[in-house]
Amino acid sequence: MPKLNIDTDFLIDSLEALLSIDSPTGYTDNVVRHTTEELQRLGLEPELTRRGAIRAVMQGGRREGARAVVTHLDTLGAQVKRVKENGRLELVPIGHWSARFAEGARCNIYAETGSFRGSILPLKASGHTFNDEVDTQPVGWPHIELRVDAMTQSYSQTRSLGIDVGDFVGIDPGTEFLENGFINSRHLDDKAGVAIALAAIEALNRERPRLPVDIHWLFTIAEEVGVGAASIVTPDIASMVTVDNGTSAPGQNSAEFGVTIAMADQSGPFDYHLTHKLVELCRENEIDYQKDIFRYYRSDSASAIEAGHDVRTALLAFGIDGSHGYERVHSHALTSIAELITAYVASPLGIKRDMQQLSDLEGFTEQPMEEAEQPPLPPEPDG
């Protein structure tokens, strides 16, 4: 199946809207509402779990052996751990990210009485007061605090505002779209993945290719804390492609351009047959790609497997520089993944046995083990 043309303007507009909505894990209701309404505008009938994970099924030729594309709506963030005597807030992170990247961030505090603005600062934030100590102080969550933009200089004044332990903190993304295609923003992980999925759905609705099986578009709300797709995968799903970030960094093979196909992460190898199918689709459709392995990374795929779901998994990554920090990606990577998804969901089934959860050996897959052909050795030099 050939790839479909992706409306890049729609993809970028979708990403910009998603990035404008704070959604740290545990505070995702608003982004769930937004995404559900976008799916409805695209002609789907999304269903929500009790906590807000989204499933939208695009009907294909068969229900059995369905394919899924999964992204996550939640992002990194923080919570108030303690209201300090000086009226400022001690924080703990939501998800795994360094306090190094929290320093200097503008943010929203979501209290029972409403939201407040603030800045996250190191404990020694003034060079005119602390001189060289601003450079030598430790890095870590105990060494930063949130300065609330309100009339408060004490514990009692901050508490009187309604701010308390456990309140959520959403970190401003600081988004910038450049004319050369680069996108700088926090929370590209995984708002960019969600925008990719929406753009793929838009293209499929526009072109109406035949789909051999149902496609489950899944949007999870707790990937950053390891839960992810654990509870939203249904038994009729045979294969699941996760779209998430990949690390473009020294020692990695990911890139900010094209598709990065992950072969393994810290939870182990991805499905051999599904990943090779995605590679072949890239070759057939002349989509730029590279492969990579992530040693300190897990995704929605890992949570589904660990929850006991018998599903083939793969990971398509957009390579971002500065993951879980000051992230950057190029729109070429986002468009490339959306193209590949359209080709994948409309491609013929390669493993028809996957339509059944259990069966005998007939039709079971086989991985090649034949010895590879090699070029002949060069002749021995005379003498």
Side-chain angles (χ1 to χ4, degrees):
M1 176 67 198
K3 66 185 182 184
L4 303 183
N5 291 323
I6 300 300
D7 185 339
T8 303
D9 289 338
F10 175 82
L11 193 160
I12 296 300
D13 289 345
S14 298
L15 177 57
E16 186 172 14
L18 288 160
L19 289 168
S20 70
I21 305 170
D22 284 342
S23 59
T25 308
Y27 207 82
T28 54
D29 287 1
N30 293 324
V31 76
V32 167
R33 286 180 173 275
H34 170 83
T35 305
T36 300
E37 291 167 359
E38 288 299 298
L39 292 167
Q40 290 170 336
R41 275 192 279 270
L42 290 168
L44 298 180
E45 298 180 1
E47 300 175 313
L48 277 63
T49 65
R50 292 183 180 90
R51 295 191 302 128
I54 305 171
R55 178 191 298 111
V57 179
M58 186 177 285
Q59 290 190 343
R62 294 185 62 124
R63 178 181 178 184
E64 299 82 6
R67 291 165 166 164
V69 177
V70 58
T71 59
H72 67 89
L73 295 165
D74 61 309
T75 69
L76 303 169
Q79 280 183 286
V80 176
K81 183 182 185 300
R82 180 169 66 98
V83 179
K84 303 172 68 173
E85 292 305 315
N86 63 0
R88 300 186 180 192
L89 308 176
E90 182 179 341
L91 302 176
V92 291
I94 295 175
H96 299 284
W97 62 300
S98 171
R100 183 186 304 277
F101 301 117
E103 292 183 2
R106 293 286 289 162
C107 58
N108 292 308
I109 308 105
Y110 293 101
E112 288 187 10
T113 52
S115 65
F116 296 85
R117 294 288 288 164
S119 297
I120 300 175
L121 302 172
L123 299 183
K124 298 177 180 178
S126 174
H128 289 106
T129 298
F130 297 105
N131 200 9
D132 292 342
E133 292 180 61
V134 297
D135 296 318
T136 58
Q137 63 186 315
V139 173
W141 290 94
H143 305 290
I144 60 175
E145 61 187 8
L146 199 165
R147 180 184 66 196
V148 184
D149 293 337
M151 295 295 292
T152 175
Q153 294 183 332
S154 69
Y155 170 88
S156 59
Q157 288 177 322
T158 297
R159 286 291 291 112
S160 70
L161 296 172
I163 297 173
D164 201 356
V165 172
D167 289 346
F168 286 90
V169 177
I171 310 300
D172 283 9
T175 306
E176 185 177 358
F177 294 90
L178 303 183
E179 291 186 4
N180 62 7
F182 279 106
I183 305 165
N184 289 267
S185 182
R186 299 177 192 261
H187 313 320
L188 293 172
D189 171 13
D190 190 29
K191 299 290 180 71
V194 177
I196 287 168
L198 294 175
I201 293 170
E202 189 279 332
L204 290 162
N205 278 347
R206 176 169 22 93
E207 300 295 335
R208 299 287 180 180
R210 179 187 174 277
L211 304 176
V213 293
D214 287 357
I215 310 302
H216 293 231
W217 302 92
L218 308 179
F219 302 85
T220 66
I221 56 168
E223 191 275 346
E224 293 294 355
V225 295
V227 179
S231 61
I232 199 170
V233 177
T234 54
D236 46 329
I237 295 174
S239 61
M240 185 179 80
V241 173
T242 296
V243 181
D244 210 331
N245 79 97
T247 53
S248 174
Q252 297 292 152
N253 201 42
S254 300
E256 294 174 80
F257 302 88
V259 180
T260 297
I261 300 176
M263 305 306 291
D265 66 7
Q266 69 182 51
S267 62
F270 290 102
D271 184 78
Y272 174 90
H273 303 283
L274 183 53
T275 53
H276 280 72
K277 180 182 182 70
L278 294 168
V279 168
E280 286 302 317
L281 286 170
C282 284
R283 291 171 178 163
E284 292 169 8
N285 289 277
E286 298 182 337
I287 299 172
D288 295 338
Y289 77 96
Q290 52 276 328
K291 301 177 184 179
D292 207 350
I293 285 178
F294 304 119
R295 294 171 296 172
Y296 310 112
Y297 177 106
R298 49 176 283 132
S299 68
D300 279 299
S301 292
S303 60
I305 294 296
E306 290 169 1
H309 296 291
D310 181 24
V311 59
R312 300 185 187 276
T313 62
L315 171 63
L316 300 179
F318 43 92
I320 57 174
D321 188 271
S323 64
H324 279 204
Y326 305 117
E327 298 175 342
R328 188 188 73 175
V329 73
H330 196 278
S331 60
H332 183 272
L334 311 186
T335 302
S336 298
I337 295 176
E339 290 174 342
L340 177 55
I341 288 172
T342 64
Y344 166 65
V345 299
S347 64
L349 292 181
I351 309 173
K352 293 186 170 49
R353 181 183 182 276
D354 279 356
M355 292 185 183
Q356 301 175 346
Q357 292 184 53
L358 294 172
S359 64
D360 57 25
L361 193 59
E362 184 177 354
F364 187 67
T365 53
E366 186 174 359
Q367 295 163 327
M369 299 186 73
E370 295 82 5
E371 185 175 346
E373 292 186 12
Q374 301 183 39
L377 295 174
E380 294 284 342
D382 293 338

